[in-house]
Amino acid sequence: MVQYNFKKITVVPNGIDFVDIILSRTQRQTPTVVHKGYAISRLRQFYMRKVKYTQQNFHEKLSTIIDEFPRLDDIHPFYDHYKLALGQINTARNLISKISKDYVKLLKYGDSLYRCKCLKVAALGRMCTVIKRIGRSLAYLEQIRQHMARLPSIDPNTRTILICGYPNVGKCSFINKITRADVDVQPYAFTTKSLFVGHTDYKYLRYQVIDTPGILDRPFEDRNIIEMCSITALAHLRAAVLFFLDISGSCGYSIAQQAALFHSIKSLFMNKPLIIVCNKTDLQPLESIPEEDMKLVMEMKAEAMKTVIGQGGEPTNDEEVLLMMSTLTENGVIAVKNAACERLLNQRVELKMKSKKLNDCLNRFHVAKPKPRDQKERPPCIPQAILEAKAKQAADKEKRKMEKDLEDENGGAGVYSASLKKNYILANDEWKEDIMPEILDGHNVCDFVDADILQRLEELEREEGLRQAEEAADDFEMDGKELTPEEQRALAEIRKKKSLLIQQHRIKKSTAESRPTVPRKFDKDREYTSKRMGRQLSALGIDPMLAINRARSRSVSRGRKRERSLDRGDTDGDVMDMDVDTPNKKLRVRSTSRSRSRSKSRPPTEVVPGEGFKDVTQKGKALKLAKKSVKKRNKDARRGEADRVIPTLKPKHLFSGKRSTGKTQRR
């Protein structure tokens, strides 16, 4: 089965665009810098590469155009002809290859940069001239490509039903009824301006239905392009033809005019199943038309019978030749479709039976018929269990009545009401349909369903009283009046210990930032002492002497004022107190403040209590690892988005091989 997909054909550029595409690609994809100081072999290779690359691009582009357009020998004659334009494209491709070959030979003997460049310019110029000469052929092929892309996907070799007739006789309405096609239907002529394709199924086979534009009864040379689409389809497609006839005359053409059109194109119906369809019978039946028109219809029917006789059919079988229908009421639409599909299917089967390929196919098949070895009959053996199961299943199927069967027996839908109580499980089946009252003697029936409700209520009240008594016993608190003095002291200690545990838990639960520092004057129980700190640090494996000595030194020096240190090189205290020798007051103030505020510096590896290091070695190792971990991060952070570093203004991958602004004549 041949399938044509014309929508995948590549766009064909015109001559000027073709030249710009190829030359810009050559400029971008080949080297652009050359100097006269290069060796002559390098100069020759530079320009030979440009000529060869340009020729290859032209060859690939033209070959794509030639290969993607279907060959006229391979496609059906129904499609258009463009052989001459493709021949010119092929000739241009060969000329460009010859030009490239000649100039590459000349470039091999170029003796200077100037001469090689002139040969390259001449070669590219001649190639561009060849392309510009076939500009009209390229434009024509682009129009052909656009036209073929708009064509529907028609398979000329599949089962096809062709609809033809005068404009506005109901062809579009018929194809919309039997297929999923959506053809525009309007009350004026020539609504359909091209071929429309739909698909329908008959006996599990797919049929192609083609709606053609309307045809007028006039000479062949006076018909326009729209009418020629229908004529071409009738001439080249092997299909069943449905000739539509409007017997009501509402299309604007009389039956005589339609009969004249039928006789003028009847030569196109040869060797095709032909059916005459009388449409719009809802407006006027076939029996009520005048005798003259009836005579014309009978003549058309006689012509259609000739196609049946020519195909080997019976001449008395005239029921499938003249059919009546109405697309408005859909009366007879399916009968017309079935008759056309059946006629076409019979014709295709007969043609295949008469062909020579049938014998070749039959030779491949062998039907084996075993010979009986005796006269004994051997019926199929079915196990008895299977027969009993099938019989039981059939009996159950007959016995059981579905709700649908009951509905049909009792008046159908709207009359029969299904009972929802018939599946209740009760002690007596007669109780299923009983009506239970909600109110009886002024009382709610649901309140008196349980006969022992009062007894159960008393049990619940008794249980509730016992539980309340147990809760009261649990809430008992000791009163100090009932206890002895010793028990009261023990109770006070217990309550104090409980409150302290609660406070400690709250302190531990809070975060380190919000944890309050307890002043010493409130530490009445002397819990926060240096001995306790020493025990905790020793448990952690840290020497507590440094922390204890530092705490003692701070507690001792807190009571007196800080004195001036003598390790700055200032041996005479009176000199610093004198303001006479200092010429500037600012310098004097700065020197005094610096001497007061500055203290002795600490090396970075010195262990400070509370940092969590055992000794100087452990702290030095930790600082070294920390510095090493941030080394790569600091190195990468030198160039970033927030560093305000200006990157390379012209990256090479964006600006190499680009042409500057100006004309593109000199490349």
Side-chain angles (χ1 to χ4, degrees), residues 83-140:
K83 193 171 184 177
L84 183 61
L86 288 179
Q88 292 180 354
I89 298 295
N90 190 25
T91 304
R93 181 178 63 176
N94 296 334
L95 285 175
I96 290 174
S97 300
K98 187 178 179 181
I99 291 171
S100 172
K101 187 177 180 181
D102 294 342
Y103 276 89
V104 166
K105 284 183 180 180
L106 294 175
L107 281 168
K108 288 181 180 179
Y109 300 100
D111 54 357
S112 64
L113 172 65
Y114 176 75
R115 187 156 299 179
C116 292
K117 184 176 182 180
C118 291
L119 290 173
K120 185 265 295 184
V121 172
L124 268 59
R126 289 188 62 183
M127 293 180 190
C128 296
T129 304
V130 172
I131 294 298
K132 289 179 180 178
R133 285 179 181 174
I134 61 170
R136 292 186 178 182
S137 299
L138 293 172
Y140 174 69

Side-chain angles (χ1 to χ4, degrees), residues 416-520:
Y416 172 74
S417 179
S419 176
L420 302 177
K421 300 178 181 179
K422 62 183 179 181
N423 293 324
Y424 285 177
I425 302 174
L426 300 176
N428 191 353
D429 292 339
E430 296 178 357
W431 299 345
K432 290 183 179 180
E433 301 297 334
D434 291 348
I435 300 174
M436 181 182 293
E438 296 181 2
I439 304 296
L440 184 65
D441 297 334
H443 299 284
N444 192 348
V445 176
C446 296
D447 295 340
F448 300 93
V449 171
D450 193 354
D452 303 331
I453 187 170
L454 296 177
Q455 182 180 354
R456 295 186 180 183
L457 179 62
E458 291 177 1
E459 293 178 358
L460 288 174
E461 290 177 351
R462 193 182 306 113
E463 185 180 356
E464 186 179 2
L466 293 174
R467 290 187 177 182
Q468 288 178 356
E470 291 177 0
E471 290 178 0
D474 293 339
D475 294 340
F476 173 74
E477 291 185 1
M478 289 185 178
D479 193 2
K481 297 179 181 180
E482 300 178 358
L483 301 177
T484 61
E486 295 179 358
E487 292 177 347
Q488 289 180 359
R489 286 194 295 272
L491 179 62
E493 291 179 0
I494 291 171
R495 288 178 175 173
K496 184 178 180 181
K497 184 67 174 177
K498 184 178 179 181
S499 63
L500 288 175
L501 291 174
I502 292 172
Q503 290 178 5
Q504 291 178 1
H505 175 69
R506 288 177 179 172
I507 291 173
K508 291 179 181 179
K509 190 176 180 181
S510 61
T511 58
E513 291 80 3
S514 62
R515 184 178 302 171
T517 304
V518 182
R520 180 166 293 184

Side-chain angles (χ1 to χ4, degrees), residues 133-147:
R133 285 179 181 174
I134 61 170
R136 292 186 178 182
S137 299
L138 293 172
Y140 174 69
L141 286 176
E142 174 61 17
Q143 293 180 359
I144 294 295
R145 186 199 65 82
Q146 294 177 2
H147 178 70

